[in-house]
């Protein structure tokens, strides 16, 4: 694979320091010290370890230059930031190489039918596609809902060549663990199914390589601060800063950051790489709602 310098933004990646918090009413600022190249690279990049097996297999195949394809209504993997693999970093990309239309079905189940189903099949005898369509709807809950009609449901896209006994209504009941449930499968809507072809490009040979690229592209020095601005920054370093109101000093800091390219950002905030008092920090800044991106 040909190596090139990689300097991309990552709108799809979540800010890490404040991730999981509701958007603060008046914004927020968090600054984490980045003392090593590895710290910067790890914070920026993803990894293949820990991914679901099918997604890891996709990335492994792309990195091995196998040009894998996958079908779906949306990309099975879609992330702007590179991933780490055996010490190097790869940008994973995809393109749509084919499309076709399939039917999305509503799969509904009644755990306590008022009348027994007219035709019943054991769950173990269902074709694989029907089992997949039912998903975690079976087995039923320990406490069967005391409702009239449908209790739960989900949508499912049957493969074009799937064998099924539920699609054509051959059976309207499924027996499992001594319980019989009414099952209804009906067409919902047509959906476009794309074939995604994946590839990978090696964009950095090591954590030091990636960190240097990020510093060259994004790092700036935060200096010349007022006393009020410095107080906000020191709080952000120690414990994160959540203002009770948007002060002039905080607005001034927001303007300082937005004057420089963010590692990623949107209308709610972003991530920056800064040097402050000789130390490099990863900055997670969230804007007040009245600040336009």
């Amino acid at each position: 694979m040909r190596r090139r310098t990689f300097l991309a933004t990552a709108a799809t990646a979540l800010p890490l320091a404040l991730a999981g918090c509701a958007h603060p009413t008046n914004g927020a600022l968090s600054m984490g010290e980045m003392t090593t190249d590895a710290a910067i690279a790890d914070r920026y990049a993803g990894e293949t370890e820990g991914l679901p097996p099918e997604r890891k297999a996709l990335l492994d195949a792309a990195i091995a230059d196998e040009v894998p394809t996958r079908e779906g209504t949306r990309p099975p993997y879609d992330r702007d930031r590179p991933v780490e693999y055996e010490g190097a970093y790869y940008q994973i990309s995809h393109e749509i190489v084919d499309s076709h239309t399939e039917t999305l079905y509503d799969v509904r189940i009644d755990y306590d039918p008022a009348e027994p189903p007219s035709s019943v099949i054991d769950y173990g005898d269902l074709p694989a596609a029907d089992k997949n369509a039912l998903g975690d709807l079976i087995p039923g809950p320990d406490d069967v809902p005391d409702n009239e009609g449908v209790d739960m449901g989900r949508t499912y896209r049957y493969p074009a060549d799937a064998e099924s006994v539920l699609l054509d209504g051959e059976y309207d009941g499924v027996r499992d663990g001594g319980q019989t449930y009414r099952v209804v499968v009906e067409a919902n809507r047509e959906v476009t199914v794309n074939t995604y072809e994946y590839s990978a490009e090696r964009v950095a040979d090591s954590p030091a390589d990636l960190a240097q690229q990020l510093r060259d592209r994004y790092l700036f020095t935060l200096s010349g601060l007022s006393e009020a601005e410095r107080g906000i920054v020191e709080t952000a370093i120690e414990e994160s800063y959540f203002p009770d109101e948007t002060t002039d000093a905080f607005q001034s800091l927001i303007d300082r950051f937005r004057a420089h390219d963010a590692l990623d950002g949107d209308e709610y905030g972003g991530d920056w790489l800064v040097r402050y008092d000789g130390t490099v920090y990863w900055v997670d800044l969230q804007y007040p709602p009245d600040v336009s991106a």
Side-chain angles (χ1 to χ4, degrees), residues 109-120 147-151 172-174 179-184:
I109 189 166
D110 182 359
Y111 293 115
D112 58 340
E115 297 182 2
S118 58
S119 53
V120 178
N147 302 324
E148 293 185 6
V150 173
D151 293 311
D172 63 346
V174 174
Q179 299 293 321
T180 298
Y181 313 123
R182 184 180 298 279
V183 175
V184 178

Side-chain angles (χ1 to χ4, degrees), residues 74-79 92-96 196-199:
R74 59 178 58 89
Y77 184 86
D78 187 15
R79 193 173 189 269
I92 308 297
S93 59
H94 66 267
E95 62 176 323
I96 297 173
Y196 299 94
E197 182 179 271
Y198 278 79
S199 60

Side-chain angles (χ1 to χ4, degrees), residues 262-283:
L263 292 148
D264 65 77
D266 57 23
E267 66 270 29
Y268 303 109
D271 293 343
W272 279 263
L273 196 63
V274 304
R275 179 179 286 108
Y276 172 72
D277 280 356
T279 301
V280 174
Y281 293 90
W282 187 285
V283 175

Side-chain angles (χ1 to χ4, degrees), residues 96-275:
I96 297 173
V97 295
D98 193 18
S99 297
H100 65 278
T101 300
E102 292 186 10
T103 303
L104 188 68
Y105 291 88
D106 286 328
V107 182
R108 301 192 296 271
I109 189 166
D110 182 359
Y111 293 115
D112 58 340
E115 297 182 2
S118 58
S119 53
V120 178
I121 184 173
D122 286 332
Y123 177 79
D125 294 334
L126 285 172
D130 287 331
K131 291 180 179 178
N132 290 335
L134 288 167
D136 57 5
L137 297 179
I138 291 180
D142 293 333
D143 294 325
V144 175
D146 186 17
N147 302 324
E148 293 185 6
V150 173
D151 293 311
M152 294 185 68
R154 67 193 300 261
T155 57
Y156 179 73
R157 178 172 55 85
Y158 275 87
D161 58 350
E163 178 187 352
S164 172
V165 297
L166 298 179
L167 275 178
D168 57 7
E170 182 178 350
Y171 294 95
D172 63 346
V174 174
R175 184 186 299 110
D176 179 71
Q179 299 293 321
T180 298
Y181 313 123
R182 184 180 298 279
V183 175
V184 178
V185 180
E186 293 180 334
N188 177 301
R189 67 183 186 274
E190 297 296 304
V191 294
T192 299
V193 179
N194 298 317
T195 300
Y196 299 94
E197 182 179 271
Y198 278 79
S199 60
E201 184 171 13
R202 186 168 176 140
V203 295
D205 297 325
S206 66
D209 186 6
L210 179 60
Q212 188 59 54
Q213 291 184 40
L214 295 174
R215 282 193 294 266
D216 290 345
R217 177 66 178 85
Y218 296 106
L219 183 64
F220 70 95
T221 299
L222 192 62
S223 61
L225 302 183
S226 68
E227 183 177 349
E229 290 172 330
R230 180 174 286 274
I232 292 173
V233 170
E234 296 292 342
T235 299
I237 292 171
E238 292 177 5
E239 58 184 4
S240 294
Y241 174 75
F242 297 94
D244 293 329
E245 60 181 351
T246 305
T247 63
D248 290 342
F250 188 46
Q251 181 62 58
S252 176
L253 281 173
I254 291 173
D255 294 340
R256 284 176 179 270
F257 282 108
R258 294 180 65 193
H260 299 272
D261 289 337
L263 292 148
D264 65 77
D266 57 23
E267 66 270 29
Y268 303 109
D271 293 343
W272 279 263
L273 196 63
V274 304
R275 179 179 286 108

